[in-house]
Amino acid sequence: MLILAIDTSADETAAAVTSERKVLSNVRYSQILLHKKWGGIYPSVAKRAHEERIDWVVDETFKKLKVKSEKLKVEDVDYIAVTQGPGLAVALEVGIKKAVELAKKYKKKLISVNHLEGHIYSCFVQNSNGNPKRDFRFPYLALIVSGGHTEIVLFKDQVDYKVLGETRDDAAGEALDKAARMLGFGYPGGSVIERLASEVDNKDFFNFPRPMIKSNNLDFSFSGLKTSFYYFLHSRVIARSKATKQSHLRSPRPAFGGTRDDNNIALDIRQLASSFQEAVFETLLIKTDLAIKQTTINRIVVGGGVIANLYLRKLLRILVKKYRGEVLFPPFKYLTGDNAAMIGVAANYKAKKRLFVKDFKLERIPRLRLS
Ligand code: KG4
Ligand code: ZN
């Protein structure tokens, strides 16, 4: 069963051809450089970039695709899958329009996929040789940690989910991005924070707040942490400016990032990054621990850009060991970020359940929920 999958939910124009859980071809065009100067995704820039690249990305996916040395075309796939949401409306529309157009032209059934179920299935994606061979052992707890989402989901069975908790404001990745920006680094900032923190052994120096850890539910909130980080930096910079009689507050970026050649401040930045990361990750850990206790499920799958972070992987491994459980991560690095391979694999299980879009009528849903 061959599936052409398309994802244009945020800043990657992505297409893939999958067969069951195997990825036969995967292409994506990242817009990160286009958005860097805005410090986040700029909608009209994203829309135009998706429109300019979508045909190229789909064509390239087929150019790279070989099945038994035979060249395949769009007409050879069985189904076409596309991300319906959640995501940026103007970006989602580009992928959906393309998928509907191809499905109509080649008379293929259309499958709509929730971007978040893609991140959940990313842990089960295989390379073209069928590795790794992980079997499903339901039920799982799924932790989604990306730039747009932080959720704990009960993954009961194939294509069967229940959201147990989610962020009430910022996502974990978004919080890391904002902290990195306050420290003078560009977007996205999660990997910069990871590197800085590892240079000081991921220690906690400043003990920033761990939001909502005392509430007996599985919801998150990261905006208060971000604010307290901001005020902490602000008070330090003002104190430093007064002491040195220099203004370090000309703009929020050079105020911290522009003085990195000063050894003392460089040390501060690493300690600040590490302490912030620790506050975010400890919150994730405490809530995941609570979810294990509440559900008695000790098998966890984790998806989303933030799980590229090796230190977070280590913390989660330690946590599940306590419960003699297991934790699965996306097996290849490209699967942590946005991609269409995970959409194709999720669509495979929707196809098995005959969950198709009726009459090619598919509207983007920017706030689509898992259900
Ligand atoms: O899943 P993703 O590519 O896009 C969304 O669907 O949001 O996630 C992007 C997020 C960004 O916030 C980025 O800073 C974060 O993933 N990220 C990381 C790392 N690499 C990317 N966060 C922590 N450590 C990393 N190594
Ligand atoms: Zn994503």
Side-chain angles (χ1 to χ4, degrees):
M1 186 157 71
L2 283 184
I3 297 180
L4 163 65
I6 294 175
D7 182 283
T8 59
S9 57
D11 58 354
E12 309 270 350
T13 316
V17 173
T18 56
S19 168
E20 309 280 320
R21 283 157 62 190
K22 294 194 207 75
V23 182
L24 306 183
S25 177
N26 181 64
V27 175
R28 57 182 177 167
Y29 180 83
S30 171
Q31 304 174 4
I32 279 183
L33 291 176
L34 297 177
H35 299 294
K36 245 189 159 88
K37 69 173 172 183
W38 309 103
I41 302 174
Y42 198 83
S44 61
V45 173
K47 175 182 160 70
R48 188 148 28 94
H50 281 307
E51 283 170 347
E52 282 170 5
R53 288 289 163 176
I54 186 76
D55 288 335
W56 179 85
V57 166
V58 172
D59 289 349
E60 199 64 17
T61 306
F62 282 94
K63 261 194 210 151
K64 285 175 67 183
L65 172 70
K66 266 194 200 147
V67 177
K68 294 186 186 131
S69 71
E70 196 189 327
K71 280 267 172 217
L72 298 182
K73 301 196 197 70
V74 182
E75 46 264 54
D76 299 315
V77 305
D78 298 289
Y79 304 110
I80 295 180
V82 66
T83 300
Q84 183 182 23
L88 190 63
V90 290
L92 290 164
E93 276 164 14
V94 179
I96 291 176
K97 190 170 160 228
K98 186 76 205 164
V100 169
E101 177 195 309
L102 292 173
K104 277 186 180 166
K105 184 170 171 193
Y106 296 108
K107 300 191 173 49
K108 303 292 174 190
K109 285 200 160 56
L110 188 63
I111 301 169
S112 82
V113 176
N114 183 312
H115 183 77
L116 300 181
E117 65 188 332
H119 276 305
I120 293 174
Y121 273 97
S122 69
C123 291
F124 298 96
V125 174
Q126 297 174 328
N127 65 15
S128 58
N129 298 322
N131 289 315
K133 300 188 196 327
R134 292 172 172 169
D135 289 331
F136 288 95
R137 292 175 65 203
F138 291 109
Y140 292 99
L141 284 173
L143 173 66
I144 302 167
V145 276
S146 72
H149 297 90
T150 304
E151 293 192 6
I152 297 181
V153 178
L154 174 60
F155 184 25
K156 284 183 261 183
D157 203 341
Q158 302 293 6
V159 199
D160 191 351
Y161 324 93
K162 183 173 179 229
V163 178
L164 302 179
E166 63 197 321
T167 184
R168 297 186 177 176
D169 39 59
D170 294 353
E174 188 180 358
L176 293 169
D177 290 340
K178 286 177 177 166
R181 192 168 155 77
M182 285 185 229
L183 292 173
F185 296 96
Y187 161 85
S191 57
V192 179
I193 299 271
E194 175 177 27
R195 206 191 63 230
L196 292 168
S198 72
E199 287 174 15
V200 287
D201 298 326
N202 299 306
K203 289 205 181 92
D204 189 3
F205 300 87
F206 301 111
N207 198 23
F208 295 118
R210 275 65 167 151
M212 290 186 67
I213 53 170
K214 295 217 168 73
S215 69
N216 200 29
N217 62 40
L218 300 176
D219 284 346
F220 302 88
S221 161
F222 290 108
S223 87
L225 167 63
K226 172 191 69 190
T227 310
S228 79
F229 188 66
Y230 175 78
Y231 283 114
F232 184 84
L233 290 181
H234 207 69
S235 65
R236 282 218 144 193
V237 170
I238 288 174
R240 190 176 288 277
S241 307
K242 280 187 181 152
T244 59
K245 294 204 169 40
Q246 283 173 15
S247 172
H248 287 265
L249 268 178
R250 250 172 244 123
S251 87
R253 298 170 116 256
F256 304 104
T259 46
R260 249 171 283 141
D261 50 351
D262 172 332
N263 283 336
N264 289 329
I265 292 186
L267 184 68
D268 270 8
I269 286 175
R270 292 197 291 263
Q271 292 181 348
L272 287 162
S274 185
S275 305
F276 188 86
Q277 181 181 267
E278 192 61 28
V280 173
F281 288 178
E282 205 192 338
T283 308
L284 293 174
L285 265 283
I286 289 171
K287 293 289 177 167
T288 309
D289 194 325
L290 184 60
I292 297 174
K293 283 200 187 93
Q294 286 183 355
T295 60
T296 68
I297 296 169
N298 63 359
R299 282 189 303 279
I300 301 176
V301 297
V302 195
V306 181
I307 201 58
N309 191 297
L310 298 181
Y311 176 59
L312 179 58
R313 290 186 181 208
K314 185 175 155 193
L315 293 176
L316 284 161
R317 280 199 197 95
I318 294 169
L319 174 70
V320 295
K321 213 169 165 193
K322 203 169 90 179
Y323 293 98
R324 292 169 206 241
E326 66 167 341
V327 58
L328 299 178
F329 305 118
F332 308 106
K333 173 108 195 274
Y334 79 90
L335 294 168
T336 59
D338 289 346
N339 65 88
M342 65 185 191
I343 302 300
V345 172
N348 172 61
Y349 293 94
K350 295 195 123 173
K352 284 189 198 300
K353 294 196 172 190
R354 317 261 341 134
L355 296 169
F356 301 118
V357 175
K358 286 201 184 82
D359 304 324
F360 306 110
K361 283 200 179 75
L362 188 63
E363 293 288 326
R364 88 280 190 283
I365 306 183
R367 294 184 174 274
L368 182 63
R369 291 180 57 82
L370 270 175
S371 60

